[in-house]
Amino acid sequence: MKCGQCNDALCVFSTLSEPDLVSYNGLIAGLVENEQPGKGFEVYREMCRQGLLPDRLTFVGVWGTCSTPEDLRRGMALHCQTIKLNLDSTPFTGNVIITMYSKYAMIEEAEKAFRLIKEKDVISWNTIIATCCHCDDHEKGLSIFKEMANGDSLLLDDFTYASALASCAWLASMRLGKQIHAHLIRAKLDRDVGLDNALLNMYAKCGCIGNADTVFSQMDCHNIISWNSIIAGFGNHGHGSKALELFHQMKDIGLEPDSVTFVAVLVACNHAGLVDEGQMYFNSMDEIYGIAPEIEHLSCLIDMLGRAGRLKEAEEYMEKFLFRQDPIVLGSILSACRLRGDVLIGERLARNLLKLQPVSTSPYVLLSNMYASDGMWNCVAKARKMLNASGLKKEPGHSLIEVKGTVEKFTIGDFSHSRIEEIVHALKTLSCERDEVLN
């Protein structure tokens, strides 16, 4: 099995007069590792028919057969079986159960499995925190991280910190991110490049590009992720020239750019208005580096050309590629039409986008905004009427703010906040003070 010779392994297995649990476990795990999950599950069923009780190693192997959405029911059935055999409360099995539910973004079930583990190890904690990140519930991830950090019996490792920093980056939680960094400095841990990259990314996404640059400069070694993160950081902050300078430094040390590098470079050119440079880098992807442009690259280029008023060139690039009818690409050029007030092209693109995204509010909103920018209020009303007739609801906007380490979310039209009365009173006070100043 280790050599990938599944047929030979099955032949050897068939010669065993009385295969035991170890034999079955080896066969199941080997088939899963060699990308034959269907056969692996069949072997598991045969083992059960022979009257052998599965152990924790069996379940670790057979859970590898649950890889598609259709396999969720199977995974839950296996979970039930571990409960019957009293194996779900051990870290070895519990950690795999958490991972299984993570694949299907079932965070509540994953947390239940985590809470049932009696003696949680560092892998249990890391797995549930990573699951929260994977499911975009970053507040819960940081809450579990704090719970873990407050415990006395466990040492946090690089994976723990990296997951927590990823959540800080997503929530722009500078306060906690700095606390984690301070702890790392005090603990004098030998940080690996992955943890340094997480720190760099956190500072860049929290708006502290100076701190991100300092972390990058102090790193003992850099990999492609390090360079991509710092280039993207400077690019997103409008420092296009610095981002391109770093790109050339990366090439000078012999590191080849990848697809993500070019996304960062194109974003940098877009934010800095370096349209000709961005076009040149886009063309060089395939010509020089053999990297085929993807939707993200084309969207960046089209948005860049559109902002510069070069809509005809943007359309020409769109027609060259197979994903020219992709909603993201069409949305990018439609946004550019709104910005430049080109109603003729915009209406044509909006019709195509409505065919591709009949259950999305985006085409209606973009079309309405484009008409509004051109003062065509009758058309704005028609677009809004079309949206209402479709029965679709635009997702309300929201803002996030961190107050004393706690992230608060405010959504348009939602007045359910526990301190809403104080908030309204403060707004009225500010409004009165503003009126007094103006008078």
Side-chain angles (χ1 to χ4, degrees), residues 163-188:
S163 295
L165 286 167
S167 290
C168 291
W170 197 91
L171 295 169
S173 179
M174 174 70 76
R175 181 189 178 99
L176 183 57
K178 281 187 171 181
Q179 288 175 355
I180 294 172
H181 190 188
H183 175 77
L184 291 171
I185 293 170
R186 286 196 304 272
K188 295 181 179 179

PDB file of all heavy atoms in Angstrom, residues 163-188:
ATOM      1  N   SER A 163      -3.671  30.186  13.551  1.00  0.00           N
ATOM      2  CA  SER A 163      -5.125  30.188  13.351  1.00  0.00           C
ATOM      3  C   SER A 163      -5.763  31.406  14.004  1.00  0.00           C
ATOM      4  O   SER A 163      -6.652  32.049  13.422  1.00  0.00           O
ATOM      5  CB  SER A 163      -5.749  28.913  13.932  1.00  0.00           C
ATOM      6  OG  SER A 163      -5.310  27.773  13.236  1.00  0.00           O
ATOM      7  N   ALA A 164      -5.311  31.737  15.225  1.00  0.00           N
ATOM      8  CA  ALA A 164      -5.864  32.899  15.932  1.00  0.00           C
ATOM      9  C   ALA A 164      -5.540  34.188  15.180  1.00  0.00           C
ATOM     10  O   ALA A 164      -6.390  35.080  15.054  1.00  0.00           O
ATOM     11  CB  ALA A 164      -5.319  32.959  17.352  1.00  0.00           C
ATOM     12  N   LEU A 165      -4.325  34.285  14.658  1.00  0.00           N
ATOM     13  CA  LEU A 165      -3.935  35.488  13.910  1.00  0.00           C
ATOM     14  C   LEU A 165      -4.734  35.607  12.610  1.00  0.00           C
ATOM     15  O   LEU A 165      -5.058  36.713  12.169  1.00  0.00           O
ATOM     16  CB  LEU A 165      -2.441  35.461  13.610  1.00  0.00           C
ATOM     17  CG  LEU A 165      -1.528  35.739  14.814  1.00  0.00           C
ATOM     18  CD1 LEU A 165      -0.087  35.384  14.493  1.00  0.00           C
ATOM     19  CD2 LEU A 165      -1.626  37.198  15.248  1.00  0.00           C
ATOM     20  N   ALA A 166      -5.065  34.471  11.994  1.00  0.00           N
ATOM     21  CA  ALA A 166      -5.888  34.494  10.776  1.00  0.00           C
ATOM     22  C   ALA A 166      -7.269  35.066  11.089  1.00  0.00           C
ATOM     23  O   ALA A 166      -7.824  35.843  10.295  1.00  0.00           O
ATOM     24  CB  ALA A 166      -6.015  33.089  10.194  1.00  0.00           C
ATOM     25  N   SER A 167      -7.829  34.694  12.249  1.00  0.00           N
ATOM     26  CA  SER A 167      -9.127  35.237  12.657  1.00  0.00           C
ATOM     27  C   SER A 167      -9.022  36.724  12.960  1.00  0.00           C
ATOM     28  O   SER A 167      -9.914  37.508  12.621  1.00  0.00           O
ATOM     29  CB  SER A 167      -9.657  34.487  13.886  1.00  0.00           C
ATOM     30  OG  SER A 167     -10.028  33.173  13.556  1.00  0.00           O
ATOM     31  N   CYS A 168      -7.925  37.125  13.610  1.00  0.00           N
ATOM     32  CA  CYS A 168      -7.704  38.554  13.885  1.00  0.00           C
ATOM     33  C   CYS A 168      -7.649  39.344  12.577  1.00  0.00           C
ATOM     34  O   CYS A 168      -8.202  40.449  12.482  1.00  0.00           O
ATOM     35  CB  CYS A 168      -6.397  38.755  14.659  1.00  0.00           C
ATOM     36  SG  CYS A 168      -6.426  38.146  16.355  1.00  0.00           S
ATOM     37  N   ALA A 169      -6.988  38.775  11.580  1.00  0.00           N
ATOM     38  CA  ALA A 169      -6.870  39.447  10.278  1.00  0.00           C
ATOM     39  C   ALA A 169      -8.235  39.605   9.635  1.00  0.00           C
ATOM     40  O   ALA A 169      -8.571  40.665   9.103  1.00  0.00           O
ATOM     41  CB  ALA A 169      -5.934  38.654   9.367  1.00  0.00           C
ATOM     42  N   TRP A 170      -9.044  38.551   9.682  1.00  0.00           N
ATOM     43  CA  TRP A 170     -10.363  38.597   9.048  1.00  0.00           C
ATOM     44  C   TRP A 170     -11.261  39.622   9.724  1.00  0.00           C
ATOM     45  O   TRP A 170     -12.044  40.319   9.068  1.00  0.00           O
ATOM     46  CB  TRP A 170     -11.013  37.222   9.100  1.00  0.00           C
ATOM     47  CG  TRP A 170     -12.144  37.069   8.139  1.00  0.00           C
ATOM     48  CD1 TRP A 170     -12.078  36.617   6.855  1.00  0.00           C
ATOM     49  CD2 TRP A 170     -13.522  37.378   8.380  1.00  0.00           C
ATOM     50  NE1 TRP A 170     -13.329  36.624   6.286  1.00  0.00           N
ATOM     51  CE2 TRP A 170     -14.244  37.091   7.196  1.00  0.00           C
ATOM     52  CE3 TRP A 170     -14.208  37.877   9.479  1.00  0.00           C
ATOM     53  CZ2 TRP A 170     -15.604  37.269   7.094  1.00  0.00           C
ATOM     54  CZ3 TRP A 170     -15.586  38.068   9.372  1.00  0.00           C
ATOM     55  CH2 TRP A 170     -16.266  37.766   8.189  1.00  0.00           C
ATOM     56  N   LEU A 171     -11.172  39.715  11.067  1.00  0.00           N
ATOM     57  CA  LEU A 171     -12.015  40.645  11.814  1.00  0.00           C
ATOM     58  C   LEU A 171     -11.376  42.026  11.973  1.00  0.00           C
ATOM     59  O   LEU A 171     -11.987  42.914  12.569  1.00  0.00           O
ATOM     60  CB  LEU A 171     -12.301  40.075  13.217  1.00  0.00           C
ATOM     61  CG  LEU A 171     -13.137  38.790  13.272  1.00  0.00           C
ATOM     62  CD1 LEU A 171     -13.109  38.212  14.679  1.00  0.00           C
ATOM     63  CD2 LEU A 171     -14.568  39.063  12.836  1.00  0.00           C
ATOM     64  N   ALA A 172     -10.148  42.171  11.462  1.00  0.00           N
ATOM     65  CA  ALA A 172      -9.378  43.405  11.662  1.00  0.00           C
ATOM     66  C   ALA A 172      -9.256  43.720  13.143  1.00  0.00           C
ATOM     67  O   ALA A 172      -9.356  44.878  13.563  1.00  0.00           O
ATOM     68  CB  ALA A 172     -10.006  44.574  10.898  1.00  0.00           C
ATOM     69  N   SER A 173      -9.036  42.676  13.946  1.00  0.00           N
ATOM     70  CA  SER A 173      -8.929  42.828  15.401  1.00  0.00           C
ATOM     71  C   SER A 173      -7.481  43.122  15.773  1.00  0.00           C
ATOM     72  O   SER A 173      -6.725  42.245  16.189  1.00  0.00           O
ATOM     73  CB  SER A 173      -9.419  41.560  16.106  1.00  0.00           C
ATOM     74  OG  SER A 173      -9.312  41.684  17.496  1.00  0.00           O
ATOM     75  N   MET A 174      -7.101  44.393  15.635  1.00  0.00           N
ATOM     76  CA  MET A 174      -5.739  44.808  15.910  1.00  0.00           C
ATOM     77  C   MET A 174      -5.352  44.582  17.371  1.00  0.00           C
ATOM     78  O   MET A 174      -4.240  44.161  17.680  1.00  0.00           O
ATOM     79  CB  MET A 174      -5.576  46.290  15.565  1.00  0.00           C
ATOM     80  CG  MET A 174      -4.226  46.882  15.934  1.00  0.00           C
ATOM     81  SD  MET A 174      -2.932  46.232  14.896  1.00  0.00           S
ATOM     82  CE  MET A 174      -3.252  47.156  13.413  1.00  0.00           C
ATOM     83  N   ARG A 175      -6.277  44.847  18.277  1.00  0.00           N
ATOM     84  CA  ARG A 175      -5.991  44.748  19.712  1.00  0.00           C
ATOM     85  C   ARG A 175      -5.500  43.347  20.081  1.00  0.00           C
ATOM     86  O   ARG A 175      -4.438  43.191  20.675  1.00  0.00           O
ATOM     87  CB  ARG A 175      -7.257  45.113  20.500  1.00  0.00           C
ATOM     88  CG  ARG A 175      -7.089  45.072  22.029  1.00  0.00           C
ATOM     89  CD  ARG A 175      -8.461  45.225  22.686  1.00  0.00           C
ATOM     90  NE  ARG A 175      -8.363  45.154  24.138  1.00  0.00           N
ATOM     91  CZ  ARG A 175      -8.348  46.203  24.933  1.00  0.00           C
ATOM     92  NH1 ARG A 175      -8.382  47.425  24.421  1.00  0.00           N
ATOM     93  NH2 ARG A 175      -8.292  46.054  26.242  1.00  0.00           N
ATOM     94  N   LEU A 176      -6.285  42.324  19.730  1.00  0.00           N
ATOM     95  CA  LEU A 176      -5.894  40.953  20.077  1.00  0.00           C
ATOM     96  C   LEU A 176      -4.675  40.521  19.271  1.00  0.00           C
ATOM     97  O   LEU A 176      -3.800  39.812  19.798  1.00  0.00           O
ATOM     98  CB  LEU A 176      -7.063  39.995  19.833  1.00  0.00           C
ATOM     99  CG  LEU A 176      -6.825  38.530  20.216  1.00  0.00           C
ATOM    100  CD1 LEU A 176      -6.425  38.411  21.683  1.00  0.00           C
ATOM    101  CD2 LEU A 176      -8.063  37.686  19.934  1.00  0.00           C
ATOM    102  N   GLY A 177      -4.589  40.948  18.008  1.00  0.00           N
ATOM    103  CA  GLY A 177      -3.424  40.594  17.193  1.00  0.00           C
ATOM    104  C   GLY A 177      -2.133  41.091  17.817  1.00  0.00           C
ATOM    105  O   GLY A 177      -1.127  40.377  17.857  1.00  0.00           O
ATOM    106  N   LYS A 178      -2.153  42.323  18.324  1.00  0.00           N
ATOM    107  CA  LYS A 178      -0.963  42.878  18.981  1.00  0.00           C
ATOM    108  C   LYS A 178      -0.660  42.144  20.286  1.00  0.00           C
ATOM    109  O   LYS A 178       0.508  41.940  20.642  1.00  0.00           O
ATOM    110  CB  LYS A 178      -1.171  44.366  19.255  1.00  0.00           C
ATOM    111  CG  LYS A 178      -0.954  45.260  18.042  1.00  0.00           C
ATOM    112  CD  LYS A 178      -1.004  46.725  18.431  1.00  0.00           C
ATOM    113  CE  LYS A 178      -0.567  47.620  17.266  1.00  0.00           C
ATOM    114  NZ  LYS A 178      -0.579  49.047  17.648  1.00  0.00           N
ATOM    115  N   GLN A 179      -1.712  41.744  21.015  1.00  0.00           N
ATOM    116  CA  GLN A 179      -1.499  40.991  22.262  1.00  0.00           C
ATOM    117  C   GLN A 179      -0.806  39.664  21.982  1.00  0.00           C
ATOM    118  O   GLN A 179       0.107  39.257  22.713  1.00  0.00           O
ATOM    119  CB  GLN A 179      -2.840  40.756  22.958  1.00  0.00           C
ATOM    120  CG  GLN A 179      -3.434  42.001  23.593  1.00  0.00           C
ATOM    121  CD  GLN A 179      -4.812  41.749  24.173  1.00  0.00           C
ATOM    122  OE1 GLN A 179      -5.369  40.653  24.023  1.00  0.00           O
ATOM    123  NE2 GLN A 179      -5.384  42.752  24.824  1.00  0.00           N
ATOM    124  N   ILE A 180      -1.253  38.988  20.907  1.00  0.00           N
ATOM    125  CA  ILE A 180      -0.630  37.710  20.537  1.00  0.00           C
ATOM    126  C   ILE A 180       0.831  37.937  20.152  1.00  0.00           C
ATOM    127  O   ILE A 180       1.728  37.189  20.564  1.00  0.00           O
ATOM    128  CB  ILE A 180      -1.403  37.038  19.385  1.00  0.00           C
ATOM    129  CG1 ILE A 180      -2.799  36.635  19.855  1.00  0.00           C
ATOM    130  CG2 ILE A 180      -0.640  35.832  18.853  1.00  0.00           C
ATOM    131  CD1 ILE A 180      -3.718  36.147  18.739  1.00  0.00           C
ATOM    132  N   HIS A 181       1.092  38.996  19.375  1.00  0.00           N
ATOM    133  CA  HIS A 181       2.467  39.310  18.971  1.00  0.00           C
ATOM    134  C   HIS A 181       3.332  39.598  20.191  1.00  0.00           C
ATOM    135  O   HIS A 181       4.480  39.114  20.292  1.00  0.00           O
ATOM    136  CB  HIS A 181       2.454  40.514  18.019  1.00  0.00           C
ATOM    137  CG  HIS A 181       3.782  40.761  17.367  1.00  0.00           C
ATOM    138  ND1 HIS A 181       4.039  41.880  16.595  1.00  0.00           N
ATOM    139  CD2 HIS A 181       4.942  40.026  17.366  1.00  0.00           C
ATOM    140  CE1 HIS A 181       5.286  41.827  16.158  1.00  0.00           C
ATOM    141  NE2 HIS A 181       5.849  40.715  16.607  1.00  0.00           N
ATOM    142  N   ALA A 182       2.794  40.380  21.133  1.00  0.00           N
ATOM    143  CA  ALA A 182       3.546  40.699  22.353  1.00  0.00           C
ATOM    144  C   ALA A 182       3.871  39.440  23.145  1.00  0.00           C
ATOM    145  O   ALA A 182       4.984  39.274  23.670  1.00  0.00           O
ATOM    146  CB  ALA A 182       2.737  41.674  23.217  1.00  0.00           C
ATOM    147  N   HIS A 183       2.905  38.523  23.211  1.00  0.00           N
ATOM    148  CA  HIS A 183       3.140  37.262  23.927  1.00  0.00           C
ATOM    149  C   HIS A 183       4.243  36.451  23.243  1.00  0.00           C
ATOM    150  O   HIS A 183       5.100  35.869  23.926  1.00  0.00           O
ATOM    151  CB  HIS A 183       1.850  36.446  23.978  1.00  0.00           C
ATOM    152  CG  HIS A 183       2.030  35.086  24.590  1.00  0.00           C
ATOM    153  ND1 HIS A 183       2.148  34.897  25.945  1.00  0.00           N
ATOM    154  CD2 HIS A 183       2.142  33.862  24.017  1.00  0.00           C
ATOM    155  CE1 HIS A 183       2.321  33.599  26.186  1.00  0.00           C
ATOM    156  NE2 HIS A 183       2.313  32.949  25.028  1.00  0.00           N
ATOM    157  N   LEU A 184       4.229  36.434  21.911  1.00  0.00           N
ATOM    158  CA  LEU A 184       5.259  35.697  21.175  1.00  0.00           C
ATOM    159  C   LEU A 184       6.645  36.277  21.433  1.00  0.00           C
ATOM    160  O   LEU A 184       7.632  35.538  21.552  1.00  0.00           O
ATOM    161  CB  LEU A 184       4.947  35.731  19.668  1.00  0.00           C
ATOM    162  CG  LEU A 184       3.715  34.937  19.209  1.00  0.00           C
ATOM    163  CD1 LEU A 184       3.407  35.235  17.756  1.00  0.00           C
ATOM    164  CD2 LEU A 184       3.938  33.444  19.410  1.00  0.00           C
ATOM    165  N   ILE A 185       6.716  37.617  21.531  1.00  0.00           N
ATOM    166  CA  ILE A 185       8.009  38.263  21.809  1.00  0.00           C
ATOM    167  C   ILE A 185       8.486  37.918  23.215  1.00  0.00           C
ATOM    168  O   ILE A 185       9.654  37.573  23.429  1.00  0.00           O
ATOM    169  CB  ILE A 185       7.883  39.796  21.632  1.00  0.00           C
ATOM    170  CG1 ILE A 185       7.639  40.137  20.160  1.00  0.00           C
ATOM    171  CG2 ILE A 185       9.146  40.496  22.135  1.00  0.00           C
ATOM    172  CD1 ILE A 185       7.253  41.588  19.924  1.00  0.00           C
ATOM    173  N   ARG A 186       7.561  37.989  24.192  1.00  0.00           N
ATOM    174  CA  ARG A 186       7.934  37.689  25.584  1.00  0.00           C
ATOM    175  C   ARG A 186       8.348  36.234  25.744  1.00  0.00           C
ATOM    176  O   ARG A 186       9.278  35.918  26.484  1.00  0.00           O
ATOM    177  CB  ARG A 186       6.762  37.997  26.523  1.00  0.00           C
ATOM    178  CG  ARG A 186       6.509  39.473  26.758  1.00  0.00           C
ATOM    179  CD  ARG A 186       5.610  39.684  27.978  1.00  0.00           C
ATOM    180  NE  ARG A 186       4.355  38.976  27.857  1.00  0.00           N
ATOM    181  CZ  ARG A 186       3.265  39.465  27.277  1.00  0.00           C
ATOM    182  NH1 ARG A 186       3.299  40.671  26.747  1.00  0.00           N
ATOM    183  NH2 ARG A 186       2.154  38.755  27.228  1.00  0.00           N
ATOM    184  N   ALA A 187       7.612  35.334  25.058  1.00  0.00           N
ATOM    185  CA  ALA A 187       7.896  33.900  25.209  1.00  0.00           C
ATOM    186  C   ALA A 187       9.176  33.492  24.489  1.00  0.00           C
ATOM    187  O   ALA A 187       9.714  32.412  24.731  1.00  0.00           O
ATOM    188  CB  ALA A 187       6.720  33.096  24.667  1.00  0.00           C
ATOM    189  N   LYS A 188       9.668  34.355  23.592  1.00  0.00           N
ATOM    190  CA  LYS A 188      10.894  34.094  22.823  1.00  0.00           C
ATOM    191  C   LYS A 188      10.840  32.736  22.122  1.00  0.00           C
ATOM    192  O   LYS A 188      11.779  31.942  22.168  1.00  0.00           O
ATOM    193  CB  LYS A 188      12.121  34.169  23.729  1.00  0.00           C
ATOM    194  CG  LYS A 188      12.362  35.555  24.303  1.00  0.00           C
ATOM    195  CD  LYS A 188      13.606  35.601  25.180  1.00  0.00           C
ATOM    196  CE  LYS A 188      13.841  37.006  25.725  1.00  0.00           C
ATOM    197  NZ  LYS A 188      15.014  37.085  26.604  1.00  0.00           N
TER     198      LYS A 188
END
